[in-house]
Amino acid sequence: MDAYNPRDWSTQPAYLSPEYKSTPLRAPTRALIPLKQTLSELTGPVYGHESVGELDADLTRNGRKAGEPQGERIIVTGRVLDENGRPVPDALVEVWQCNAAGRYIHAADQHDAPLDPNFFGGGRCVSDAEGRYKFMSIKPGAYPWPNHHNAWRPAHIHFSLFGPSFLTRLVTQMYFPGDPLLALDPIYNATPAGSRELLVSTFSIDVTQPGYALGYVFDIVLRGRDATPMER
Amino acid sequence: MALKQTPSQTVGPYFAYGLTPEQYGYSMTSIASGAMRQPDTEGERIRIEGRVFDGAGNTVVDAMIEIWQADSQGRYAHPADPRGSNARFKGFGRMGTGTDPEHRFIFDTIKPGRVDATQAPHINVVVFMRGLLLHAYTRIYFADEAAANAADPVLQSVPAERRDTLIAKREGDSYRFDIHMQGERETVFFDA
């Protein structure tokens, strides 16, 4: 079997990013040891369309108790691709986010903003034959965090993907265009300039559903394989 | 290559209701947990447990560990396994460290067989946590496989004085595998 391309370190954040104050005690300090890819790396957990439920991809409905959640309805869609631009079908995409007020349903979130009884904030879907995925949701709010004085996270949605092998595993965050907090965010800025912009979704009037919800597009590129020697 | 890899970002402190909801008592179903075997799964029943330590020696209470392993015959439940996928044992476990009183991750699984002629039995691991901007790859080997471990090409590629960080020790009915992010016993992480 063909090996997967290596992680492209030029697009990835460094483990140690001191401005993000949780990294200094948690970043590995020793050089990573190269691992020749074996069947253990070329395989990975398989979660297909049978693993998601009907409402899992609609965060405006899957947490309802007695009505609609508060906030600005959004559609988030895009394609899961490999580095050669080929679609990655049947990829499980898991998401989680805070509500419109910037509050997570997680018990550890103590931010003094209201929970929304009709919003849960977690969801998942599986990409189609063209690699396309789609979520309905509520635009998440910004929220303060204790990293430094007056620190606020830009609005974001957490994404988790498997792709076809354990090596294509990816956990990331999607941001929104034009957010003034991006320039101040140490997590976003831990990724090198020229690559961090890949984490920002684009607004799309074509995806926007008239009279109902604004559309955002976020394509996700996983490690590919079959690179030619010239490309390597 | 035409497209750049999407950058990784930290899983953050609030992954539990999205990725491990049942374990943490949220209403959504989980796709995976630490209970990896069924009553009819073939193989030696084992428990693997451990904790995650930061550079100050403190237990990390908001880490998420995922493991991926072969069945007792060394087969992966994946179409790329040339011996045929074993659909009866999925081989994937996921657990956060925030619910156990000692902040352990605990996987009830079966001992994997050898996946090829050269590698010793092992389990593939990825580590996520707040403060870790991209996940870290490591492997679990077994202390009672000394002969196979001595011939394993991956273990042999690791400096001898650090190999021990990859070997789970038998303690009673469990294998213990602690993960140290830093320090003298820093776990070996791979550029996989």
Side-chain angles (χ1 to χ4, degrees):
Chain A
M1 286 178 65
D2 296 314
Y4 282 87
N5 302 329
R7 276 184 176 176
D8 180 356
W9 296 101
S10 75
T11 74
Q12 301 296 327
Y15 280 120
L16 179 60
S17 299
E19 298 293 311
Y20 173 24
K21 298 206 171 112
S22 295
T23 69
L25 284 176
R26 294 182 167 197
T29 65
R30 309 212 192 185
L32 301 183
I33 298 205
L35 178 66
K36 185 171 177 293
Q37 295 174 20
T38 72
L39 195 61
S40 298
E41 288 72 39
L42 299 173
T43 55
V46 178
Y47 287 95
H49 294 270
E50 76 291 343
S51 54
V52 297
E54 192 184 350
L55 287 181
D56 284 0
D58 189 344
L59 283 69
T60 70
R61 293 179 188 276
N62 70 14
R64 283 193 194 187
K65 300 236 169 24
E68 285 208 62
Q70 299 284 326
E72 187 181 321
R73 284 187 293 261
I74 58 171
I75 299 164
V76 177
T77 186
R79 296 177 77 198
V80 186
L81 303 165
D82 71 14
E83 290 166 273
N84 301 305
R86 288 183 295 225
V88 180
D90 306 321
L92 180 69
V93 183
E94 299 171 275
V95 295
W96 68 104
Q97 63 165 87
C98 62
N99 68 23
R103 178 80 185 267
Y104 286 90
I105 203 165
H106 194 291
D109 185 0
Q110 297 299 309
H111 173 35
D112 180 22
L115 283 168
D116 184 335
N118 295 306
F119 189 74
F120 180 70
R124 58 195 163 214
C125 71
V126 173
S127 64
D128 68 14
E130 295 173 333
R132 206 169 298 280
Y133 72 90
K134 182 179 179 183
F135 290 99
M136 304 293 295
S137 193
I138 296 291
K139 190 171 182 193
Y143 59 86
W145 63 309
N147 191 70
H148 56 273
H149 174 66
N150 212 8
W152 291 76
R153 290 299 327 279
H156 61 277
I157 298 176
H158 295 266
F159 275 70
S160 169
L161 294 95
F162 287 99
S165 92
F166 217 41
L167 297 181
T168 51
R169 188 83 180 88
L170 175 70
V171 168
T172 190
Q173 300 180 26
M174 181 203 100
Y175 300 93
F176 290 87
D179 191 330
L181 293 171
L182 286 171
L184 305 172
D185 182 53
I187 295 181
Y188 174 72
N189 287 297
T191 296
S195 293
R196 62 178 74 124
E197 297 80 4
L198 299 169
L199 300 172
V200 182
S201 58
T202 53
F203 169 73
S204 168
I205 195 67
D206 296 326
V207 171
T208 296
Q209 192 172 324
Y212 188 70
L214 295 176
Y216 292 90
V217 174
F218 180 56
D219 289 338
I220 298 162
V221 180
L222 304 180
R223 286 166 70 173
R225 58 206 309 185
D226 305 334
T228 66
M230 199 182 347
E231 289 171 322
R232 295 293 284 273
Chain B
M1 282 159 272
L3 301 174
K4 282 180 164 181
Q5 294 170 14
T6 300
S8 171
Q9 296 272 271
T10 177
V11 74
Y14 303 134
F15 62 82
Y17 70 92
L19 298 182
T20 51
E22 287 179 30
Q23 181 194 340
Y24 284 74
Y26 295 100
S27 59
M28 195 164 79
T29 58
S30 291
I31 60 154
S33 71
M36 294 168 60
R37 59 178 183 242
Q38 305 297 323
D40 62 345
T41 304
E42 293 173 11
E44 181 189 350
R45 279 144 166 69
I46 63 169
R47 167 172 283 197
I48 297 171
E49 60 179 61
R51 294 189 289 175
V52 182
F53 294 93
D54 70 12
N58 293 318
T59 311
V60 174
V61 303
D62 54 4
M64 184 178 81
I65 306 299
E66 290 181 348
I67 67 173
W68 168 240
Q69 67 165 96
D71 68 8
S72 59
Q73 309 296 313
R75 290 179 303 173
Y76 284 103
H78 186 276
D81 192 314
R83 294 154 298 182
S85 173
N86 174 12
R88 294 178 65 204
F89 178 65
K90 196 151 190 109
F92 179 67
R94 174 190 272 178
M95 196 166 176
T97 59
T99 60
D100 178 71
E102 297 168 39
H103 303 300
R104 292 171 297 179
F105 55 86
I106 300 169
F107 294 105
D108 286 314
T109 182
I110 53 161
K111 195 168 176 190
R114 300 180 71 140
V115 302
D116 59 34
T118 61
Q119 298 192 79
H122 65 274
I123 291 177
N124 312 286
V125 181
V126 285
V127 181
F128 302 87
M129 69 186 80
R130 170 177 61 86
L132 200 61
L133 284 159
L134 62 170
H135 55 277
Y137 286 96
T138 187
R139 281 184 171 201
I140 299 171
Y141 287 86
F142 298 91
D144 47 14
E145 296 282 352
N149 290 345
D152 181 272
V154 174
L155 270 181
Q156 295 309 308
S157 74
V158 172
E161 70 278 10
R162 298 191 66 201
R163 278 176 209 154
D164 204 41
T165 69
L166 300 176
I167 296 176
K169 314 290 187 303
R170 191 98 199 195
E171 284 185 8
D173 295 333
S174 300
Y175 286 96
R176 160 73 62 169
F177 185 78
D178 288 333
I179 296 171
H180 297 267
M181 301 309 297
Q182 301 180 354
E184 271 181 32
R185 288 179 290 167
E186 181 173 325
T187 299
V188 166
F189 298 110
F190 292 105
D191 187 5

